[in-house]
mmCIF file of all heavy atoms in Angstrom:
data_model
loop_
_atom_site.group_PDB
_atom_site.id
_atom_site.type_symbol
_atom_site.label_atom_id
_atom_site.label_comp_id
_atom_site.label_asym_id
_atom_site.label_seq_id
_atom_site.Cartn_x
_atom_site.Cartn_y
_atom_site.Cartn_z
ATOM 1 N N VAL C 630 14.729 -21.671 21.918
ATOM 2 C CA VAL C 630 15.362 -20.460 22.424
ATOM 3 C C VAL C 630 15.641 -20.587 23.936
ATOM 4 O O VAL C 630 16.709 -20.193 24.405
ATOM 5 C CB VAL C 630 14.475 -19.222 22.140
ATOM 6 C CG1 VAL C 630 14.995 -17.978 22.874
ATOM 7 C CG2 VAL C 630 14.444 -18.961 20.625
ATOM 8 N N SER C 631 14.685 -21.121 24.667
ATOM 9 C CA SER C 631 14.941 -21.293 26.111
ATOM 10 C C SER C 631 16.094 -22.284 26.354
ATOM 11 O O SER C 631 16.871 -22.102 27.290
ATOM 12 C CB SER C 631 13.674 -21.777 26.810
ATOM 13 O OG SER C 631 13.199 -22.996 26.267
ATOM 14 N N LEU C 632 16.206 -23.284 25.503
ATOM 15 C CA LEU C 632 17.342 -24.212 25.578
ATOM 16 C C LEU C 632 18.653 -23.459 25.319
ATOM 17 O O LEU C 632 19.643 -23.668 26.039
ATOM 18 C CB LEU C 632 17.142 -25.336 24.569
ATOM 19 C CG LEU C 632 18.315 -26.315 24.372
ATOM 20 C CD1 LEU C 632 18.620 -27.042 25.674
ATOM 21 C CD2 LEU C 632 17.983 -27.320 23.275
ATOM 22 N N ALA C 633 18.646 -22.596 24.318
ATOM 23 C CA ALA C 633 19.851 -21.814 24.020
ATOM 24 C C ALA C 633 20.261 -20.924 25.196
ATOM 25 O O ALA C 633 21.446 -20.776 25.478
ATOM 26 C CB ALA C 633 19.610 -20.976 22.770
ATOM 27 N N LEU C 634 19.276 -20.373 25.876
ATOM 28 C CA LEU C 634 19.596 -19.519 27.029
ATOM 29 C C LEU C 634 20.212 -20.331 28.156
ATOM 30 O O LEU C 634 21.164 -19.871 28.829
ATOM 31 C CB LEU C 634 18.313 -18.833 27.515
ATOM 32 C CG LEU C 634 17.762 -17.719 26.620
ATOM 33 C CD1 LEU C 634 16.373 -17.268 27.106
ATOM 34 C CD2 LEU C 634 18.700 -16.515 26.562
ATOM 35 N N GLU C 635 19.705 -21.553 28.385
ATOM 36 C CA GLU C 635 20.308 -22.404 29.415
ATOM 37 C C GLU C 635 21.726 -22.783 29.043
ATOM 38 O O GLU C 635 22.627 -22.781 29.897
ATOM 39 C CB GLU C 635 19.454 -23.653 29.596
ATOM 40 C CG GLU C 635 18.090 -23.443 30.233
ATOM 41 C CD GLU C 635 17.372 -24.743 30.437
ATOM 42 O OE1 GLU C 635 17.902 -25.605 31.183
ATOM 43 O OE2 GLU C 635 16.288 -24.924 29.862
ATOM 44 N N ALA C 636 21.943 -23.135 27.776
ATOM 45 C CA ALA C 636 23.295 -23.501 27.326
ATOM 46 C C ALA C 636 24.239 -22.311 27.441
ATOM 47 O O ALA C 636 25.420 -22.463 27.794
ATOM 48 C CB ALA C 636 23.233 -24.005 25.887
ATOM 49 N N ARG C 637 23.741 -21.117 27.180
ATOM 50 C CA ARG C 637 24.570 -19.921 27.335
ATOM 51 C C ARG C 637 25.081 -19.780 28.739
ATOM 52 O O ARG C 637 26.269 -19.471 28.961
ATOM 53 C CB ARG C 637 23.759 -18.674 26.931
ATOM 54 C CG ARG C 637 24.457 -17.339 27.231
ATOM 55 C CD ARG C 637 23.540 -16.168 26.964
ATOM 56 N NE ARG C 637 24.174 -14.907 27.350
ATOM 57 C CZ ARG C 637 24.163 -14.418 28.604
ATOM 58 N NH1 ARG C 637 23.518 -15.088 29.557
ATOM 59 N NH2 ARG C 637 24.772 -13.277 28.864
ATOM 60 N N GLU C 638 24.182 -19.989 29.710
ATOM 61 C CA GLU C 638 24.593 -19.869 31.110
ATOM 62 C C GLU C 638 25.726 -20.847 31.418
ATOM 63 O O GLU C 638 26.715 -20.520 32.119
ATOM 64 C CB GLU C 638 23.407 -20.127 32.037
ATOM 65 C CG GLU C 638 22.340 -19.052 31.974
ATOM 66 C CD GLU C 638 22.880 -17.687 32.369
ATOM 67 O OE1 GLU C 638 23.615 -17.598 33.387
ATOM 68 O OE2 GLU C 638 22.593 -16.730 31.650
ATOM 69 N N ALA C 639 25.594 -22.081 30.925
ATOM 70 C CA ALA C 639 26.623 -23.101 31.185
ATOM 71 C C ALA C 639 27.946 -22.709 30.525
ATOM 72 O O ALA C 639 29.033 -22.859 31.134
ATOM 73 C CB ALA C 639 26.148 -24.460 30.681
ATOM 74 N N LEU C 640 27.883 -22.199 29.314
ATOM 75 C CA LEU C 640 29.114 -21.824 28.613
ATOM 76 C C LEU C 640 29.741 -20.584 29.235
ATOM 77 O O LEU C 640 30.970 -20.490 29.342
ATOM 78 C CB LEU C 640 28.800 -21.589 27.115
ATOM 79 C CG LEU C 640 28.447 -22.865 26.316
ATOM 80 C CD1 LEU C 640 27.781 -22.505 25.003
ATOM 81 C CD2 LEU C 640 29.714 -23.680 26.049
ATOM 82 N N GLN C 641 28.929 -19.638 29.604
ATOM 83 C CA GLN C 641 29.463 -18.408 30.237
ATOM 84 C C GLN C 641 30.175 -18.778 31.539
ATOM 85 O O GLN C 641 31.186 -18.159 31.898
ATOM 86 C CB GLN C 641 28.340 -17.435 30.519
ATOM 87 C CG GLN C 641 27.813 -16.713 29.320
ATOM 88 C CD GLN C 641 28.711 -15.598 28.777
ATOM 89 O OE1 GLN C 641 28.441 -15.016 27.740
ATOM 90 N NE2 GLN C 641 29.765 -15.287 29.504
ATOM 91 N N SER C 642 29.649 -19.793 32.263
ATOM 92 C CA SER C 642 30.306 -20.186 33.527
ATOM 93 C C SER C 642 31.702 -20.754 33.303
ATOM 94 O O SER C 642 32.526 -20.807 34.221
ATOM 95 C CB SER C 642 29.439 -21.207 34.248
ATOM 96 O OG SER C 642 29.438 -22.455 33.542
#
Side-chain angles (χ1 to χ4, degrees):
V630 170
S631 59
L632 173 61
L634 289 171
E635 291 184 60
R637 172 186 175 275
E638 292 300 315
L640 290 163
Q641 286 284 173
S642 69

